[in-house]
Amino acid sequence: MTDPNQISVDPNTKGNANLIYILYLLGIVVGITPIVGVIMAYMGKGKGDPVLESHYNNQINIFWKGFLYSVIGAVLTVVLIGVLILLAALVWYIIRCVKGMQALSAGQAIENPGSWMF
């Protein structure tokens, strides 16, 4: 029997959701891994228990809202405020991923996966 917390690609395990958070954080350096992560989150959606569902919804929201914040920041770099927006988006992204990983390891659902804040 395998440990449900072990990194996995099986969408019915916490290990899969944890792998997605890791891919998101790795994306800060590599760049492409969040796309793989969001595809995995969409594939896992609807296949897990309510706790996993909240994490998959959270991960999908993190990806799209992070993408939106980044595009807005990139466009506004012309007027220099975009650099601050990009920095704030990066901090928001990291905090959302880390909080998600902490809740997942504690076996807790994300209370408001659709939140625009932390």
Side-chain angles (χ1 to χ4, degrees):
M1 187 165 177
T2 61
D3 179 12
N5 295 322
Q6 182 179 357
I7 301 298
S8 169
V9 293
D10 179 6
N12 294 321
T13 64
K14 288 179 13 179
N16 186 58
N18 197 32
L19 176 61
I20 295 169
Y21 285 123
I22 291 168
L23 288 171
Y24 279 8
L25 292 173
L26 187 61
I28 295 169
V29 178
V30 178
I32 192 88
T33 59
I35 295 170
V36 174
V38 78
I39 290 169
M40 289 174 65
Y42 274 114
M43 289 174 54
K45 193 174 176 185
K47 296 182 181 174
D49 62 14
V51 171
L52 282 176
E53 282 299 308
S54 73
H55 284 278
Y56 290 137
N57 287 329
N58 183 47
Q59 291 163 341
I60 291 167
N61 281 307
I62 288 172
F63 178 84
W64 288 113
K65 290 173 184 170
F67 181 75
L68 176 66
Y69 290 152
S70 297
V71 168
I72 291 170
V75 169
L76 292 177
T77 55
V78 175
V79 290
L80 299 179
I81 191 143
V83 175
L84 294 174
I85 292 172
L86 287 171
L87 182 60
L90 178 64
V91 170
W92 174 87
Y93 184 83
I94 292 169
I95 290 172
R96 286 290 297 252
C97 287
V98 170
K99 285 180 72 175
M101 289 176 85
Q102 288 175 337
L104 184 65
S105 70
Q108 299 171 344
I110 300 294
E111 289 183 24
N112 189 3
S115 171
W116 286 82
M117 297 305 288
F118 302 110

